[in-house]
Amino acid sequence: MTKLSVYGDTKALFHLPDGVIYLDGNSLGALPLGVAERVGRVITSEWGNELIRAWNTAGWYAQPRHVGDRIARLIGAEAGSVMVGDTLSLKVYQALAAALDMNASRKVILSDTGNFPTDLYMAEGLIATLGRGHQLRLVSPEEIEAALSEDIAVLYITEVDYRTGRRHDMARLTAKAHALGIVTVWDLAHSAGALPVDLTGCGADFAAGCTYKYINAGPGAPAFLYVAPRHAGTARAALSGWMGHAKPFAFELGYAAAGGVERMRVGTPPVLAMAALEASLDIWDRVDIADVRARSLVLGDLLISEVERRCPSLKLVTPRAHERRGSQISFAFDGGYAAMQALIARGVIGDFRAPDIMRFGITPLYIGESEVMKAAEIIGKVITGEVWRRPEYQVVNAVT
């Protein structure tokens, strides 16, 4: 299989509208050109002609595990350890429930204030459902390591902070957590497809992530769940759906978990969404994630230097050190929401996160130096010219 050059070969494999510099791939990735053909083939040839037979003839039933093995390469996971399907919220719920069950004598879930809110909401909901006296303990991202102690059951954090792009040291925190008897659950929403991840090397217990951001599988694309092989045969499937049953088509009235990571299947897999994901993975199969990371850091440095030179009123909140950041650059600005609307109106698409964060995703498969330089120029004009103060940019949309 011929290796693709990052940006040089890969940009032409995505649909990018004319006049748009897309710096929001950390929220929703751009459309790979192969998606329409792949999904169309599934609709017309597989669903259309094979009908229900396609579960066997087209391999639909095996998709969650097969696609999981393709994602495993991007996150440093062992073959057979990743299951795809459902949403990220459900996958972190499954992982956290299994992790708590493995450490039943302890009652504290440790997370940080930079974690994505849905992860915290799912933890709160699980705690209420279990009714066993668990508590969710939150500290600042910088305090996580010092907060690890022997009363903690699960370390439950996102590797890369969704607001600031700050990156946790997965290997260091996992090692310290394990030394204290703590089970780890990592959210890779802003890691998978953005930077090299080594779940096996780090000894992570559980991890979950989405595929609609850097992996470019489309809105509502299925999530994935990693279960370390040492736990796969015993981890409890809290969402015990029929597809995770040992014999799903025997239709037994009692639940018996399937072997290995198969037990983490829940319901019927989203076949059309899986097809879009597979089309994107056709690109990723030919890309070295280390090359993507190297380009990301170069482009991130360029954006930081150019924006700071033009816009001293923007405050960088992303760490400058390469090892401490993901693949987005974030600035704090009091008029951040309006400024982002003004940028979008001028073809620079980033996004905003409350209360004042302007985010710019660096996605090297389809973004290069020329786009970064042009974006910085437009950012400079919007900020220094106070274009963002115009009334039309103060209207808050439902999705920010």
Side-chain angles (χ1 to χ4, degrees), residues 356-374:
D356 60 356
I357 302 296
M358 299 173 67
R359 303 193 311 174
F360 300 97
I362 305 297
T363 48
L365 296 188
Y366 49 84
I367 292 294
E369 280 89 347
S370 61
E371 289 92 346
V372 169
M373 289 296 293
K374 182 63 175 176

Side-chain angles (χ1 to χ4, degrees), residues 56-72:
N56 293 311
T57 60
W60 290 354
Y61 181 73
Q63 257 186 328
R65 180 73 169 269
H66 168 68
V67 177
D69 282 344
R70 296 179 72 182
I71 289 174

Side-chain angles (χ1 to χ4, degrees), residues 26-327:
N26 56 316
S27 192
L28 175 66
L31 170 66
L33 294 178
V35 166
E37 186 279 330
R38 178 67 65 86
V39 174
R41 173 157 38 97
V42 172
I43 291 172
T44 58
S45 178
E46 297 177 8
W47 179 13
N49 294 331
E50 289 297 290
L51 296 168
I52 199 168
R53 295 172 295 183
W55 285 105
N56 293 311
T57 60
W60 290 354
Y61 181 73
Q63 257 186 328
R65 180 73 169 269
H66 168 68
V67 177
D69 282 344
R70 296 179 72 182
I71 289 174
R73 187 183 72 86
L74 291 176
I75 57 175
E78 305 90 332
S81 65
V82 178
M83 184 56 59
V84 177
D86 314 301
T87 68
L88 180 53
S89 296
L90 293 183
K91 290 308 178 196
V92 295
Y93 187 97
Q94 285 182 284
L96 182 57
L100 287 176
D101 195 58
M102 290 168 53
N103 231 352
S105 65
R106 301 185 185 190
K107 302 301 180 183
V108 178
I109 302 165
L110 178 65
S111 191
D112 68 54
T113 53
N115 205 350
F116 193 66
T118 194
D119 288 20
L120 305 181
Y121 303 159
M122 297 306 281
E124 290 174 353
L126 177 59
I127 288 170
T129 299
L130 291 175
R132 298 178 191 165
H134 290 96
Q135 63 171 287
L136 177 62
R137 182 179 298 169
L138 298 180
V139 300
S140 72
E142 295 78 13
E143 295 173 321
I144 279 286
E145 184 172 355
L148 294 172
S149 64
E150 292 183 344
D151 69 327
I152 294 167
V154 179
L155 174 63
Y156 175 63
I157 53 178
T158 300
E159 184 184 17
V160 176
D161 189 307
Y162 78 103
R163 285 195 185 98
T164 67
R166 181 192 188 277
R167 182 186 182 188
H168 282 296
D169 187 332
M170 182 186 290
R172 181 181 176 88
L173 290 178
T174 299
K176 183 164 184 180
H178 285 172
L180 294 168
I182 301 168
V183 181
T184 59
V185 176
W186 289 93
D187 183 332
L188 305 180
H190 289 270
S191 305
L195 48 86
V197 179
D198 185 11
L199 293 176
T200 302
C202 290
D205 298 296
F206 298 90
C210 56
T211 63
Y212 56 82
K213 300 179 189 294
Y214 295 98
I215 297 180
N216 309 295
F224 62 85
L225 174 62
Y226 165 82
V227 181
R230 64 185 180 276
H231 303 315
T234 56
R236 185 174 69 87
L239 299 176
S240 47
W242 76 301
M243 283 288 176
H245 194 284
K247 299 177 181 178
F249 293 96
F251 300 106
E252 298 172 351
L253 298 184
Y255 182 78
V261 75
E262 289 284 340
R263 67 184 55 203
M264 294 304 181
R265 295 180 69 156
V266 182
T268 305
V271 172
L272 299 182
M274 289 275 201
L277 172 55
E278 289 203 274
S280 181
L281 290 173
D282 287 345
I283 299 173
W284 282 105
D285 286 347
R286 301 172 60 191
V287 169
D288 188 333
I289 189 65
D291 293 343
V292 174
R293 176 60 169 170
R295 292 292 301 145
S296 164
L297 293 172
V298 169
L299 296 173
D301 287 344
L302 179 63
L303 183 62
I304 291 170
S305 63
E306 290 297 320
V307 169
E308 288 189 326
R309 182 170 66 85
R310 291 174 167 87
C311 309
S313 60
L314 298 189
K315 178 186 176 183
L316 179 70
V317 294
T318 301
R320 296 179 190 274
H322 288 179
E323 69 277 8
R324 294 187 58 237
R325 75 178 191 229
S327 196

